[in-house]
Amino acid sequence: MGFLKMKDYLEISSKKSINLKKVPVKLKPRYQSDQEYEKLLDHNRSRLEEFQTLLYAGHSRSMIVIFQGMDTAGKDGAIKHVLSGVNPQGCAVVSFKTPTSEELNHDFLWRVNRALPARGVLGIFNRSYYEETLITRVHPELLEKEKLPTGKKHDKAFWKFRYQDMVHYEKYLHRQGYEVVKIFIHISKEEQKRRLLDRFQDPKKHWKISEGDVHERTFWNEYQTAYEEGIRHTVSKSSPWYIVPGDDKKSARLSISQILVDRFDKMNLEYPVLKPEEKKKLKLLKAQLNKD
């Protein structure tokens, strides 16, 4: 399983400029067949299941996995295939869609706080609060609905402070026991077009077709710039960004599974150690069962 020891993704933990045009969207696959792909993915899925059990048993730490990417990048598929082995009781998936009127009446992180997983639970964010520096950066008129005290003034200082708010928020979460894993699935404009057209060809995918997906594609360059700036200004040692080449869905899923395994491994999770009085109670309960 040579793939499991290699990095087929880019880990960013320092505030250096990023040019996504120079970041590969596809690499030579580390699997030689579909069977090998499944074997590699199953290996990491088994490890993720073990880690999640440790997380749930300890009930003191949590992990939040953030998936970002252009439309059709494969966020839904990654969640489905990579995390299919985890116990649903210890996992919470949240999709961040257009803010509701109630959410718009609060600060932009309010709805995120409400969606945080409980201690011991693995939280999955399908898109996230980072949309507040992506779609709002490309379409700043959307910010008017947020009733901000800055009004229509959305200059460099505005975005600088919004990035800082996110970094400070993630550092706060880290101190509270949350491991924040931020994954950007990087696809090419050509691959996105192919995937969108594929939805028109397959009747089973017609329900996925969205006018908004086609419309937002016309802002491709603007979104790429927004991602470059957002990733650059929100990295930290405790919450780096991972850019995963996404044109090959299977390779992307293997990379994502390895990122999660590595981050879980660094958490050094262990099963809770019982106190002497708790061990004594267990002996009494076992004795009671033996007498039954």
Side-chain angles (χ1 to χ4, degrees), residues 216-265:
E216 290 305 302
R217 178 177 162 80
T218 62
F219 297 95
W220 181 274
N221 291 335
E222 290 84 348
Y223 274 109
Q224 297 299 292
T225 299
Y227 269 113
E228 290 169 352
E229 289 294 301
I231 291 172
R232 175 189 176 190
H233 292 293
T234 60
V235 297
S236 65
K237 289 184 178 180
S238 60
S239 299
W241 271 99
Y242 300 93
I243 301 180
V244 175
D247 275 15
D248 179 345
K249 290 183 179 180
K250 291 181 178 178
S251 288
R253 292 165 187 166
L254 288 173
S255 293
I256 290 168
S257 70
Q258 189 61 45
I259 290 168
L260 298 183
V261 166
D262 290 344
R263 287 295 295 270
F264 262 126
D265 195 37

Side-chain angles (χ1 to χ4, degrees), residues 6-261:
M6 301 186 71
K7 285 190 175 181
D8 288 332
Y9 54 86
L10 183 62
E11 180 178 345
I12 301 175
S13 57
S14 61
K15 298 182 183 296
K16 295 182 180 180
S17 297
I18 303 167
N19 185 346
L20 287 176
K21 290 182 180 179
K22 295 182 179 180
V23 178
V25 294
K26 189 174 183 178
L27 297 171
K28 183 180 179 180
R30 298 296 174 184
Y31 59 93
Q32 302 301 318
S33 64
D34 288 345
Q35 291 75 18
E36 186 180 8
Y37 158 74
E38 289 294 342
K39 185 177 181 180
L40 291 168
L41 190 59
D42 280 342
H43 174 83
N44 274 358
R45 279 193 293 227
S46 296
R47 295 201 65 192
L48 289 175
E49 184 180 8
E50 294 170 3
F51 281 127
Q52 190 220 11
T53 301
L54 284 169
L55 186 73
Y56 194 74
H59 209 69
S60 63
R61 305 284 301 281
S62 293
M63 177 181 283
I64 302 171
V65 184
I66 293 174
F67 285 101
Q68 289 289 161
M70 297 294 288
D71 296 319
T72 77
K75 299 179 291 296
D76 292 344
I79 294 170
K80 176 181 178 182
H81 290 272
V82 175
L83 298 164
S84 60
V86 301
N87 188 335
Q89 284 187 309
C91 185
V93 180
V94 181
S95 294
F96 284 84
K97 301 183 182 298
T98 303
T100 65
S101 57
E102 180 184 16
E103 290 168 345
L104 288 170
N105 280 326
H106 295 80
D107 65 276
F108 77 95
L109 290 173
W110 181 77
R111 66 172 178 165
V112 183
N113 252 359
R114 300 180 74 198
L116 288 178
R119 297 188 186 280
V121 175
L122 172 62
I124 309 297
F125 286 180
N126 189 347
R127 297 190 187 275
S128 67
Y129 46 95
Y130 277 94
E131 293 299 301
E132 290 290 343
T133 59
L134 294 168
I135 190 169
T136 54
R137 187 83 187 253
V138 176
H139 302 289
E141 65 275 10
L142 294 175
L143 290 168
E144 295 179 22
K145 297 180 180 180
E146 297 187 12
K147 306 177 181 67
L148 297 167
T150 52
K152 295 184 179 181
K153 186 178 180 181
H154 308 129
D155 52 12
K156 288 185 178 180
F158 173 86
W159 296 111
K160 174 185 175 182
F161 290 130
R162 181 153 282 198
Y163 292 137
Q164 285 182 358
D165 289 339
M166 290 177 168
V167 173
H168 293 159
Y169 181 66
E170 288 170 358
K171 288 182 177 179
Y172 161 78
L173 290 177
H174 186 74
R175 289 192 296 270
Q176 300 303 311
Y178 288 89
E179 194 79 2
V180 182
V181 184
K182 302 181 294 192
I183 298 172
F184 169 59
I185 305 177
H186 183 37
I187 64 169
S188 64
K189 190 175 183 180
E190 294 72 25
E191 178 63 15
Q192 187 198 55
K193 180 179 180 179
R194 189 193 68 76
R195 293 180 186 182
L196 287 171
L197 288 174
D198 182 59
R199 292 178 179 179
F200 285 90
Q201 300 301 320
D202 187 348
K204 294 181 180 180
K205 296 182 180 180
H206 283 176
W207 65 274
K208 289 185 175 183
I209 298 173
S210 166
E211 182 179 353
D213 291 349
V214 178
H215 174 69
E216 290 305 302
R217 178 177 162 80
T218 62
F219 297 95
W220 181 274
N221 291 335
E222 290 84 348
Y223 274 109
Q224 297 299 292
T225 299
Y227 269 113
E228 290 169 352
E229 289 294 301
I231 291 172
R232 175 189 176 190
H233 292 293
T234 60
V235 297
S236 65
K237 289 184 178 180
S238 60
S239 299
W241 271 99
Y242 300 93
I243 301 180
V244 175
D247 275 15
D248 179 345
K249 290 183 179 180
K250 291 181 178 178
S251 288
R253 292 165 187 166
L254 288 173
S255 293
I256 290 168
S257 70
Q258 189 61 45
I259 290 168
L260 298 183
V261 166

Side-chain angles (χ1 to χ4, degrees), residues 273-285:
V273 178
L274 297 180
K275 297 177 181 179
E277 59 269 24
E278 292 174 325
K279 292 182 179 180
K280 184 177 181 181
K281 186 177 181 179
L282 285 184
K283 288 183 179 180
L284 292 175
L285 289 173

Side-chain angles (χ1 to χ4, degrees), residues 282-292:
L282 285 184
K283 288 183 179 180
L284 292 175
L285 289 173
K286 183 180 180 179
Q288 184 178 339
L289 282 173
N290 287 329
K291 290 179 180 179
D292 191 353

